[in-house]
Each structure stands twice: as structure tokens, then as C-alpha cells.
Amino acid sequence: MTILEIETAVIEKLRESITDLLVEGYPDSPDSYTLKHAKGAVLVNYQGSSFGEPKASGPVSQMRRVEIDTTVIVKNLRSHDGAYAYVDAVRDALTGRIAGLGRVYPTREGFLSVKVGGVWQYGVSFAVNMVHEEAEA
């Protein structure tokens, strides 16, 4: 499965579960990102993969741990539609099986920043274990 396919599957799952925020891939220029949605956004990006040792013989086959980060950006902290509620919603939406990916599980979450005007950012990170195999020639 390609990186783009993995990211797309995560975005689609979040869009099904969290309908009142903008859900999209991380912007090409994160430093210049401006929140344009009235309530907030969830941004998704592929963070990287780590690989286990390949089988001792035969075609290359190894475990791949794919890491996906989400960033919750909202204008409130504790209210019913604040950062805390959406961090919980993102974690709940992505924990478990996602079509094509397998079992997705959270690895960490926490505060990232707060901007002037009360725009809060929290990160929720996930991983999924897959098998990476040698491409057929």
C-alpha cells in the first residue's frame, strides 16, 4: 500500500466520523497555514515508517510500522466543541480497523500550541503494522 493510499484511507475515515470540522491532508506550507473553517480542522500526515528485519531467505518480507500524525486545530479548549472533545473524537474514530489498513492504534497525543485568539492545536499520533514485501520484477 502506498503512502498516499494510507493517508487517504485515514482522511476518509475521519471525514465519516467528524463531519463538523474540515479534514484534509497536511498543507505543503504548514508555517503559512491559516484556519479557514468556522470551527476548526483536523490535518493528517504520514510521519514515517520503521521496518523490522527481513526474512532470512527468499523474497524480502518484513514488518513495517507506519506512523500517521493528526493535528486538531480548534478555537475552543474545554467546551463541547473544543480541542479536548475533538482529540477524543479523532482517537475514537481511528482506533480499530480501517478498510485496507488493518488495526490502527494510538501511540501518543498531546498539546502542540496555542495561538493568539485561542486557536488550540493538539496532536494525536497513530501506528499500523503492515507487511512490506519485495515488489515483483
Side-chain angles (χ1 to χ4, degrees):
M1 184 169 231
T2 69
I3 294 168
L4 184 57
E5 290 170 333
I6 293 166
E7 186 178 273
T8 300
V10 169
I11 289 170
E12 290 305 314
K13 179 66 174 176
L14 284 170
R15 284 180 178 163
E16 290 172 10
S17 302
I18 302 173
T19 58
D20 56 338
L21 296 182
L22 175 67
V23 178
E24 62 185 356
Y26 219 74
D28 289 335
S29 301
D31 292 338
S32 62
Y33 179 78
T34 305
L35 181 61
K36 295 178 180 143
H37 191 276
K39 280 188 163 183
V42 180
L43 306 178
V44 177
N45 73 301
Y46 167 77
Q47 188 61 35
S49 291
S50 55
F51 296 86
E53 289 294 318
K55 292 187 314 185
S57 63
V60 173
S61 179
Q62 61 195 131
M63 290 305 299
R64 174 186 181 197
R65 181 178 190 239
V66 176
E67 298 177 7
I68 300 290
D69 283 347
T70 63
T71 303
V72 174
I73 305 170
V74 293
K75 296 181 179 178
N76 294 304
L77 180 61
R78 291 184 186 89
S79 69
H80 70 281
D81 60 351
Y84 292 167
Y86 286 113
V87 166
D88 289 338
V90 167
R91 184 183 348 94
D92 291 346
L94 294 182
T95 299
R97 293 204 176 272
I98 295 179
L101 292 184
R103 294 177 56 219
V104 177
Y105 56 95
T107 58
R108 67 185 173 278
E109 66 185 32
F111 173 79
L112 296 175
S113 70
V114 62
K115 307 241 187 236
V116 175
V119 176
W120 295 84
Q121 293 189 18
Y122 277 79
V124 188
S125 299
F126 298 87
V128 60
N129 296 320
M130 309 173 123
V131 176
H132 172 71
E133 296 180 316
E134 179 178 337
E136 293 184 29

